[in-house]
Amino acid sequence: MAASKKAVLGPLVGAVDQGTSSTRFLVFNSKTAELLSHHQVEIKQEFPREGWVEQDPKEILHSVYECIEKTCEKLGQLNIDISNIKAIGVSNQRETTVVWDKITGEPLYNAVVWLDLRTQSTVESLSKRIPGNNNFVKSLTGGVNGGVHCTDVTNASRTMLFNIHSLEWDKQLCEFFGIPMEILPNVRSSSEIYGLMKAGALEGVPISGCLGDQSAALVGQMCFQIGQAKNTYGTGCFLLCNTGHKCVFSDHGLLTTVAYKLGRDKPVYYALEGSVAIAGAVIRWLRDNLGIIKTSEEIEKLAKEVGTSYGCYFVPAFSGLYAPYWEPSARGIICGLTQFTNKCHIAFAALEAVCFQTREILDAMNRDCGIPLSHLQVDGGMTSNKILMQLQADILYIPVVKPSMPETTALGAAMAAGAAEGVGVWSLEPEDLSAVTMERFEPQINAEESEIRYSTWKKAVMKSMGWVTTQSPESGIP
């Protein structure tokens, strides 16, 4: 019997999407942006003390290799030749810190996740936050055996050690925080060949795209014009608006960050960002901590049973409040409870909480930019929840638009990798970008009801503040 022929496709590009909750590897057709196959592995989170959030760096790295191998196996089953994969992009959770031994390549401690609160007392004493930087590419290119120690401008810009104007590590900032500059990675653009895969099914394939996850989603949503914005619903929620070549500084609690630099000789683009700490994480909490659902998908079914929170409001400030409040003393509360309240109402309130928090950062974005968004482009795992998407449209009182293929973070990393000089299989010219099928959710309630619900939410937020000081037991201070 003759062997089956391999499917003939254009050049393919892979993308590692290493997020807070899971790792994925996805493969796209560079000519159509079609997702051909993927594999996902959930990542464990450890909570050794109140307010501490950690992950095992070796588990993260192993999950990347596992996802690559499994995806390649699936491509083989589809008769797709993996030799067509011409490049790999990497998208990663930002600010999560791992310190590696330069000689052995071993991590010195668990990864301290971006949600972690243990440095709060240090933050207060410095009046600054000291995050780390994510040097994830290095291990894929060989680690201590000749691996490339580099990062890109989007990740570097999240460390508070990087000058976002000169695009270099800032000597004054490094001295202030006591960080030796020689231990920091080289900073490169978001789209160039950094090195080659040194092991596994894709050995020898260039790694040529690197973006922090939210920048990758901005690229994947094709927000290349000034004023275009997207909101990603993952562990947290992150709203980014492209501000072009100009740094726009916020008066309303948003962050100025590097959006992308798609090539060594290409210009840098900046963005304003609003960050919500807890979005999808609240669903995971209902599943793992309270046990009221067995799978994350069940939340939609519970919420649909009641169609309302019945006056119950849930502020999931597990790690304090991020934008626009930046209030580390806040903690999660559920209020407005009555004897009638049941798990379905709490499930609905949890979904509403994600939408209310997005409304707060969208309002701040509109005030900073001066031109209100006419619609919101969305992506991320939670966007498959239709009740959530309809709630979001109702609470924002503008249409919510979601691509039929929601994996825009991975798509952005793949686009950067495929467009890199020396790879050149993915054109980022406007006329060459593939048309994307969108699903649109229009507001279905009146504006007055939307405002009443939002104002009650803000009352609940005020009640969540002031619960914790640096002397509280959870801060880890004796």
Side-chain angles (χ1 to χ4, degrees), residues 115-143:
L115 288 164
D116 192 279
L117 292 175
R118 77 189 66 187
T119 60
Q120 186 56 44
S121 59
T122 308
V123 171
E124 290 181 5
S125 66
L126 292 172
S127 298
K128 300 283 184 184
R129 185 174 179 186
I130 308 178
N133 45 82
N134 191 316
N135 307 327
F136 191 72
V137 176
K138 182 178 179 181
S139 292
L140 297 179
T141 58

